[in-house]
């Protein structure tokens, strides 16, 4: 039997994506799935679909801060709301697109952990280089590759594909064409993978 | 020790509120809490906060239908997406406001079950009368009481209070001033009541 794949559309700028990222590797392992990390640009998906970041509604934004803290406690993971927010995560995403597929997860975790737990301003090349180096990559080489056309093209293609397949927010997961949106849908994703939500 | 209270702001027009309603009584019982059913007008909370119903974003609306079905399967409860949607749930809410507090939950469950599983058009007085009668109320008397000023005033007051306390969607739960928004936050609500999310 072929191993099933969970596609994970992620953008480091999204707090709920960080939260989901702290859980998804264990979930994939429990369900015997391959995890495919797919960088995309959340802001472009918002634009394309007419959706808005939750923090754009003041009452929602106020709740969001408290909600994120509760989720972090629920998972037992650190969370520090960064001073630079929203952040430009374009280069972080392009670096993800410059890496071979099996290394994207390591990068995603490193950059999201830096941003969501250590207040690192991941819009800055210097900061990204440091994060990459600390995670065992060649930071300087990665930054250079991120500025090349193939990385830019792949990030754009991923984003366009995501929107075409129905993505309007992050994190978004796919198992085939079954889509799951949100950190709070991991429970449904796992049920689905375990065959508990069959028609 | 006084029993803690879960306040449940509900509007029968909201599918995620129906889903949460299928779970909340058992949750309250597990946590030894009193459940206080508080009817409010979700549309007014949307207006007041600038929030929008998810179905107003086409991509979100498309996902919503699939998502609701998955949640219903996850919970093992029926769900039939009503032909009349969105629905005017004002009278249903006013009936809730005409009842003594300890009977509101029975009404809420009856009217949401009618709308979300049997395609009953709960904007119609005739339909509401039938639902009320079947749930052991005096439907004609309730409909009359719902048109009186006290019921109208209470529904308006509940809605204003909800918005003032930070509500922008439904379902919304409060334990004291700790707010939980969404069917998908029941897991956090329960953790919180069990003291697992302490600062």
């Amino acid at each position: 039997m072929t191993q099933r794949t969970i596609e994970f559309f992620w953008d480091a700028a999204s707090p709920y994506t960080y939260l989901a990222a702290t859980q998804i590797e264990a979930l994939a392992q429990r369900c015997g799935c391959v995890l495919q990390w797919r960088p995309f640009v959340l802001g472009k998906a918002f634009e394309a679909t007419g959706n808005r970041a939750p923090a754009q509604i003041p009452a929602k934004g106020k709740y969001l801060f408290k909600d994120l803290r509760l989720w972090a406690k629920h998972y037992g993971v650190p969370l520090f709301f960064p001073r630079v927010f929203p952040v430009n995560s374009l280069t972080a995403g392009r670096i993800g697109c410059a890496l071979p597929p099996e290394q994207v997860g390591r990068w995603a975790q490193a950059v999201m952990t830096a941003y969501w737990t250590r207040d690192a301003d991941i819009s800055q090349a210097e900061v990204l280089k440091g994060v990459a180096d600390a995670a065992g990559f060649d930071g300087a080489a990665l930054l250079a590759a991120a500025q090349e056309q193939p990385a830019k093209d792949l990030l754009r293609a991923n984003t366009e594909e995501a929107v075409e397949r129905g993505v309007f927010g992050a994190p978004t997961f796919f198992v085939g064409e079954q889509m799951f949106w949100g950190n709070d849908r991991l429970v449904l994703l796992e049920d689905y993978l375990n065959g508990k939500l069959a028609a």
Side-chain angles (χ1 to χ4, degrees), chain A residues 144-179:
Chain A
Q147 299 313 322
E148 300 290 328
Q149 207 56 45
K152 292 181 179 178
D153 288 347
L154 180 54
L155 188 60
R156 185 188 308 261
N158 279 355
T159 304
E160 284 169 2
E161 181 194 319
V163 168
E164 195 143 316
R165 290 168 74 185
V167 173
F168 53 84
T172 300
F173 302 92
F174 283 95
V175 178
E177 283 318 304
Q178 183 78 51
M179 181 172 120

Side-chain angles (χ1 to χ4, degrees), chain A residues 8 38 41 55 68 107 138 156 162:
Chain A
F8 178 5
R38 305 202 57 188
V41 182
L68 291 170
W107 167 247
D138 178 342
R156 185 188 308 261

Side-chain angles (χ1 to χ4, degrees), chain A residues 16-32:
Chain A
Y16 292 106
T17 300
Y18 158 68
L19 286 169
T22 67
Q23 307 300 311
I24 190 65
E25 296 191 274
L27 188 157
Q29 203 154 28
R30 284 196 298 276
C31 300

Side-chain angles (χ1 to χ4, degrees), chain A residues 38-53:
Chain A
R38 305 202 57 188
F40 84 119
V41 182
L42 176 57
K44 292 284 174 198
F46 282 151
E47 270 175 38
T49 58
N51 198 11
R52 290 179 293 181

Side-chain angles (χ1 to χ4, degrees), chain A residues 122-152:
Chain A
I122 60 163
S123 66
Q124 303 302 313
E126 201 60 9
V127 172
L128 290 172
K129 184 183 171 300
V131 171
D133 287 338
F137 296 106
D138 178 342
L142 266 185
L143 271 172
Q147 299 313 322
E148 300 290 328
Q149 207 56 45
K152 292 181 179 178

Side-chain angles (χ1 to χ4, degrees), chain A residues 73-86:
Chain A
K73 279 181 201 161
H74 175 68
Y75 288 150
V77 299
L79 177 82
F80 181 90
F81 207 91
R83 280 170 301 178
V84 177
F85 181 83

